[in-house]
Amino acid sequence: MMIMVGAGNDPLRTRRFTRELHGVLAGDEQLRGQGVTAELYTASPDREPGSKGTVENIVLLATAAATARPAFDALVTALQAWLQRPDRRATITMTHGDWSVTLAGEPTEQQLRAIREFRPDPNADDPDSNGARQQ
């Protein structure tokens, strides 16, 4: 799962927020207990020869364990708590495969519905369920 932090058009604030969120997620005992780890990934986009400055995309990558239901719920809770601080004006976009949702501050009902629809089936760990989602 990929987690991207956005802070408008301010790349320095985006970088700072991403590193701050990484520290919060990496230090979260509940996430570690669920087997979720967060790693920073920095990618420099191709730039034209002679261009000045550094432009980097910094994202967090969460392990595959983050898609298991208990771990996913713990991850969403940690992300929501981080976003709700009054001094923070940022967004978080979570992407896994073709699914993506963006959270900003207090999640809207539409965002919560998208998260509930994506949240893994609680029976996915049950070998008798064959990993099928119930509709």
Side-chain angles (χ1 to χ4, degrees):
M1 175 179 298
M2 183 171 56
I3 301 167
M4 293 184 68
V5 177
N9 292 327
D10 187 342
L12 294 177
R13 195 164 56 124
T14 297
R15 172 185 268 182
R16 182 172 55 88
F17 282 173
T18 301
R19 292 185 186 281
E20 181 183 305
L21 180 59
H22 174 257
V24 168
L25 296 179
D28 189 301
E29 294 290 329
Q30 186 176 9
L31 289 176
R32 279 202 311 249
Q34 295 288 341
V36 176
T37 58
E39 299 295 329
L40 283 175
Y41 174 76
T42 304
S44 296
D46 293 334
R47 291 181 293 153
E48 306 245 343
S51 63
K52 296 181 181 180
T54 302
V55 178
E56 295 177 309
N57 294 321
I58 301 176
V59 298
L60 290 166
L61 299 176
T63 59
T67 60
R69 186 170 187 161
F72 181 79
D73 290 345
L75 177 62
V76 169
T77 298
L79 294 174
Q80 287 174 335
W82 184 84
L83 279 171
Q84 290 176 359
R85 284 188 33 193
D87 62 332
R88 187 164 294 115
R89 294 185 59 149
T91 61
I92 294 176
T93 301
M94 298 172 24
T95 306
H96 182 72
D98 293 338
W99 175 84
S100 180
V101 67
T102 299
L103 304 173
E106 188 70 33
T108 66
E109 184 56 38
Q110 183 180 8
Q111 291 168 338
L112 292 172
R113 188 172 37 254
I115 290 169
R116 282 191 302 270
E117 289 172 3
F118 171 74
R119 185 180 6 206
D121 181 356
N123 297 319
D125 295 331
D126 180 357
D128 294 330
S129 73
N130 295 324
R133 288 190 178 175
Q134 296 177 357
Q135 298 292 332

